């Protein structure tokens, strides 16, 4: 028999944020959602900042694994 262990979304959010920080990404909380920021440059040389919503990802992960 296989036993599945599912974490709460908050646990996943914390784990993902910790990993993102360890990899050098800046992590921010905005309106109770947690994001990590990806900085890149457009072909014209302008800096582009993308926000990846860790909270939504963690909630989806919880649903899939529970």
């Amino acid at each position: 028999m296989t036993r599945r262990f599912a974490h709460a979304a908050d646990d996943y959010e914390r784990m993902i944020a910790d990993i993102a920080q360890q990899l050098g990404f800046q992590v921010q909380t905005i309106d109770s959602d947690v994001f990590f920021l990806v900085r890149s440059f457009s072909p014209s040389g302008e800096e582009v900042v993308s926000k990846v919503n860790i909270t939504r990802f963690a909630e989806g992960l919880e649903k899939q694994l529970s």
Side-chain angles (χ1 to χ4, degrees):
M1 179 166 82
T2 303
R3 183 175 174 183
R4 295 178 73 182
F5 180 75
H7 294 281
D10 289 344
D11 295 331
Y12 289 123
E13 182 181 78
R14 202 169 12 264
M15 286 187 270
I16 296 165
D18 287 345
I19 292 167
Q21 286 177 324
Q22 290 172 11
L23 293 173
F25 291 99
Q26 182 181 3
V27 175
Q28 293 182 348
T29 301
I30 303 169
D31 294 330
S32 77
D33 283 348
V34 180
F35 296 85
F36 71 87
L37 306 181
V38 178
R39 296 183 189 281
S40 59
F41 292 91
S42 70
S44 65
E46 292 180 59
E47 184 178 33
V48 177
V49 178
S50 302
K51 295 177 187 171
V52 179
N53 190 325
I54 296 172
T55 303
R56 288 185 57 199
F57 183 79
E59 289 168 353
L61 190 59
E62 177 188 32
K63 286 179 184 177
Q64 290 298 314
L65 298 176
S66 61

